[in-house]
Amino acid sequence: MALKKNEELLREESLSERKAKEIFSKKEGKEKKILTTFSIEPSFKEELEELFDSMGLGWAAGIRFALKEFYKKYSEN
């Protein structure tokens, strides 16, 4: 008789899975994050990635920064 493996017990959680759970789980005093998607031209994305990299930011952090700055600039009017 063959034993059936319980994959859930044997499988370790990957780093990306842990980060995703941490980011999207409810924390005290913090608002839950929402995953959003949008489409842009690959060449424009490359330009933005280079700009964000020069600022020491990754893609997602750069987009969040840009949106916050945009909001500050145009919400004052």
Side-chain angles (χ1 to χ4, degrees):
M1 180 166 114
L3 296 175
K4 184 177 179 183
K5 287 184 184 178
N6 187 345
E7 291 183 24
E8 296 237 350
L9 294 177
L10 299 177
R11 191 173 81 78
E12 287 187 31
E13 201 173 60
S14 73
L15 177 61
S16 59
E17 286 175 317
R18 275 185 275 160
K19 282 188 120 182
K21 282 182 182 176
E22 181 183 315
I23 290 170
F24 292 105
S25 66
K26 182 90 171 153
K27 292 182 182 178
E28 260 186 59
K30 288 201 170 191
E31 200 172 1
K32 225 176 180 181
K33 296 200 184 309
I34 300 169
L35 179 63
T36 61
T37 59
F38 59 94
S39 300
I40 60 173
E41 295 85 5
S43 59
F44 183 51
K45 183 176 189 247
E46 256 180 53
E47 290 175 26
L48 289 174
E49 285 175 321
E50 289 172 11
L51 175 64
F52 296 155
D53 188 50
S54 71
M55 297 169 69
L57 299 171
W59 172 251
I63 293 296
R64 286 191 296 269
F65 173 79
L67 289 171
K68 286 177 185 174
E69 290 301 308
F70 178 86
Y71 181 78
K72 283 182 201 173
K73 182 175 180 178
Y74 291 101
S75 66
E76 293 172 356
N77 295 339

